[in-house]
Amino acid sequence: MKRDLSTEEKIKAAAKKVFMTKGFDGCSVRDIAKEVGSNVALLNYYFRSKEKLFELIFEGAMSDFLQAMIAVFSSELTLKEKVEQLIDKEFSFFLEHPELPMFILQSLHQNKNDAPMPSHFLKPIAKTGIFEQFERAKANGEVRDISIRNVTLLLMSNVHYPFMSKKLTMQFHGISSAEFDDDLNKHKEIVKELITNYLFISNTKE
Amino acid sequence: MKRDLSTEEKIKAAAKKVFMTKGFDGCSVRDIAKEVGSNVALLNYYFRSKEKLFELIFEGAMSDFLQAMIAVFSSELTLKEKVEQLIDKEFSFFLEHPELPMFILQSLHQNKNDAPMPSHFLKPIAKTGIFEQFERAKANGEVRDISIRNVTLLLMSNVHYPFMSKKLTMQFHGISSAEFDDDLNKHKEIVKELITNYLFISNTKE
DNA sequence: AAAAAAATTAAACACTTGTTTAAATTTTGC
DNA sequence: GCAAAATTTAAACAAGTGTTTAATTTTTTT
């Protein structure tokens, strides 16, 4: 019946690596097969088609993408602490998966099928109660009058973009990868101060 | 000798449209030929290859990308005014060319040839004297102690990312395109206040 | 150990890819 | 008006695409 499970996993790992770096259109199934050290038929044996394999990888990436967010929001911290932790956690997460923001946005940008984002990605976030906590803090006057959507946009811009723009920024300033990583660390601290100063009217805890 | 010039321009326009929306890997030369209403051989007659045509489009896009920046920096304004104007101008520019940030970053991300950014893109910026103006303001105590590179990263993050993340954000919050555009406008004002407040040290506060 | 099931392979499928060729058409210079 | 040049076209090219087929090897079950 069942044999070594690792073949299927090996294909997924190879597909993830190749899709992430080259994108769906930028690679062939033979690229992935070569990465596995096997042949193309095996890919379709386990995963029906290139597209199905991609969707699987994409959903996994999307899940990773949101995992850090959910972890922070689920904790028992004040809103300000959560914002600070979120920025810290996301930065360290993306330092280990720097291609993720680009992969997600690029995939959504040119998705042939306009399939909406599965709601099971959003529910866990709503379930953390972060939105209610935010509205409460706003009503209490702890937080500036700003929509949660604009807060999200602010956070995502400052946390995701730097990892997407590494090549552009390095070339723009003529700096090395190491120098860019230094800038990234400074950026993290700047963003933390910048956003908390802007959002939170006083230091009083919730 | 020479005939109607517009054929070459029509091909460039079609190529720009197709490359922008689908990316280099995501389209075929026949897609572009169909957009022109002609056949594939004509593309290579004018532009040798798909790659050469793409490079042309990319350089043009890159030039557009920096044009607003240069225009603002060349003016005779204070640093604070320049920052505010830059944000305004970039937002209205990208409202008309919303695919540009994604196209630039995606193209740089998976450029097979690791050709560096041509220096003739950067010289015009340096030539505006904006860097010197910034260092002077820092020495005068008008501006916080922060590197120009971090200021750039801050500005680009908050100005470019929103346009790249439209699909993600719309799906994330379940909002319409019009609602997103509203958020975008609010974001612009938020970013202006956020960044100027952070960067520029007021006399009273000191 | 034999039979059945699962996993893996090489080869072929039909189709698309970027590019080139050579012929046809249009424009230009005289 | 005519030849030369420039433009446009259809067709072909070899190589690459995702997928399928059928045969082979390996594993599991009996």
Side-chain angles (χ1 to χ4, degrees), chain B residues 30 38 45 49 56 61 70 73 78 92 113 126 128 136 139 141 193 196-197 200-201:
Chain B
R30 281 167 183 82
S38 176
Y45 174 74
S49 72
L56 207 75
I70 294 167
F73 290 162
T78 67
S92 46
N113 57 349
T128 63
R136 242 182 291 122
E193 187 184 344
T196 52
N197 275 359
F200 299 100
I201 299 161

Side-chain angles (χ1 to χ4, degrees), chain B residues 1-3 7 30 38-39 41-42 45-46:
Chain B
M1 305 272 188
K2 241 177 200 170
R3 207 195 168 200
T7 299
R30 281 167 183 82
S38 176
N39 70 56
L42 207 56
Y45 174 74
Y46 282 105

Side-chain angles (χ1 to χ4, degrees), chain A residues 1 3 7 38 45-46:
Chain A
M1 304 274 191
R3 207 192 165 203
T7 300
S38 175
Y45 175 74
Y46 282 105

Side-chain angles (χ1 to χ4, degrees), chain B residues 112-148:
Chain B
K112 284 83 186 168
N113 57 349
D114 42 1
M117 180 158 26
S119 67
H120 66 262
F121 285 140
L122 306 179
K123 273 183 196 160
I125 294 176
K127 244 170 126 185
T128 63
I130 184 72
F131 300 135
E132 290 81 356
Q133 187 176 15
F134 178 79
E135 293 303 329
R136 242 182 291 122
K138 226 161 66 174
N140 289 349
E142 298 167 27
V143 163
R144 178 188 286 259
D145 183 31
I146 180 177
S147 77
I148 184 80

Side-chain angles (χ1 to χ4, degrees), chain A residues 20-75:
Chain A
M20 286 275 196
T21 52
K22 302 196 186 186
F24 180 82
D25 293 324
C27 73
S28 69
V29 288
R30 282 168 181 82
D31 290 338
I32 300 172
K34 190 174 288 180
E35 181 75 29
V36 182
S38 175
N39 70 57
V40 272
L42 206 56
L43 271 63
N44 280 31
Y45 175 74
Y46 282 105
F47 308 94
R48 292 178 50 85
S49 73
K50 183 190 182 185
E51 203 148 29
K52 296 250 182 249
L53 177 54
F54 178 80
E55 279 168 22
L56 207 77
I57 301 302
F58 177 75
E59 295 233 339
M62 203 64 179
S63 184
D64 293 345
F65 193 65
L66 301 175
Q67 119 196 348
M69 229 187 283
I70 294 166
V72 173
F73 289 162
S74 302
S75 64

